[in-house]
Amino acid sequence: NACIGGDNIPMLALGIPGDAVTAVIIGALFIHGLKPGPMLMIDTPHLFWFWVGALTLANIFLLIFGLMGIKIFAKLVEIHKGLLLPIIIIISVVGTYAINNSLTDVYWMLGFGIFGYILKMYGFQTGPVVLGIILGPLMEENYRRAMMDQHNNVMGFLFQLVRNPLSLILTLGIIYTILGQTQFWSRMKGKVWKSKKEGA
């Protein structure tokens, strides 16, 4: 639970989720017409400070009740999935339907639930998918804004990525992150280590 506060910092300050849970929270904020990030502090400072205060109180009470009920909470893990899953499904269906009073939303929820189960069954992480769904519209909106600023000039847009030192660092970091997940990068890294060992 110590990571909860840290995950909320980029969400509240920059509008970037720190994990899959904060990505869901960002989605909930958008549903209610709120924009997480710097504008949240400007437009609704009372909500921002309420959030900070709630996190502070939550950690205090978590310490108190956590120490008092650690034996009880440990037994909750032993509850059989056959009892937990129906309760979770019912709560999810009711909550989804209550947003717009629409069965279509429930069908979408069930569809994405099955899709997430298939991803998990084949070893894919559902967290990045949730992040993509939440961050996708933000990326599209800012991309359109950047392209309009450059009068739909792709080369001008790409030049802006390397013109500013901060943008250059972020761009290189993104490229490194993407390449670091590929087999090509792993092979190149292995060859470098092998050549170093042979040279030593």
Side-chain angles (χ1 to χ4, degrees):
N1 293 316
C3 65
I4 300 299
D7 292 334
N8 277 267
I9 292 174
M11 182 193 70
L12 294 174
L14 303 173
I16 301 173
D19 60 356
V21 176
T22 48
V24 175
I25 295 175
I26 287 179
L29 291 175
F30 274 113
I31 290 174
H32 292 283
L34 299 171
K35 293 183 178 180
M39 297 306 297
L40 185 67
M41 307 178 199
I42 297 173
D43 296 337
T44 54
H46 60 283
L47 178 61
F48 172 79
W49 289 112
F50 173 80
W51 200 298
V52 174
L55 285 174
T56 304
L57 290 176
N59 280 281
I60 294 173
F61 283 110
L62 181 63
L63 175 63
I64 297 173
F65 291 108
L67 293 175
M68 292 173 58
I70 188 169
K71 293 182 179 180
I72 299 174
F73 298 147
K75 291 183 179 180
L76 292 177
V77 183
E78 301 175 0
I79 297 177
H80 195 268
K81 290 183 179 180
L83 180 62
L84 280 178
L85 290 179
I87 297 175
I88 294 173
I89 292 174
I90 291 173
I91 294 175
S92 300
V93 170
V94 172
T96 304
Y97 181 80
I99 295 175
N100 295 317
N101 294 329
S102 173
L103 283 175
T104 304
D105 293 345
V106 177
Y107 296 146
W108 276 107
M109 184 269 296
L110 293 175
F112 276 107
I114 295 172
F115 178 64
Y117 177 77
I118 294 173
L119 289 178
K120 189 174 182 180
M121 187 171 58
Y122 284 96
F124 292 94
Q125 297 293 326
T126 55
V129 177
V130 175
L131 292 176
I133 293 173
I134 299 299
L135 295 179
L138 295 175
M139 293 178 62
E140 292 178 3
E141 179 182 351
N142 287 283
Y143 172 73
R144 287 195 299 267
R145 184 180 296 130
M147 289 298 293
M148 290 175 62
D149 184 62
Q150 296 299 319
H151 305 287
N152 293 326
N153 186 353
V154 178
M155 294 304 297
F157 169 75
L158 295 176
F159 177 71
Q160 291 297 325
L161 293 178
V162 297
R163 181 181 179 183
N164 187 284
L166 180 59
S167 299
L168 178 61
I169 293 173
L170 291 175
T171 302
L172 292 176
I174 293 172
I175 294 174
Y176 174 77
T177 303
I178 295 174
L179 291 178
Q181 308 300 319
T182 61
Q183 294 182 356
F184 171 77
W185 184 268
S186 300
R187 287 197 297 266
M188 291 296 295
K189 191 176 180 180
K191 290 180 180 179
V192 171
W193 278 104
K194 187 176 180 180
S195 62
K196 285 185 177 180
K197 289 182 179 179
E198 291 177 353

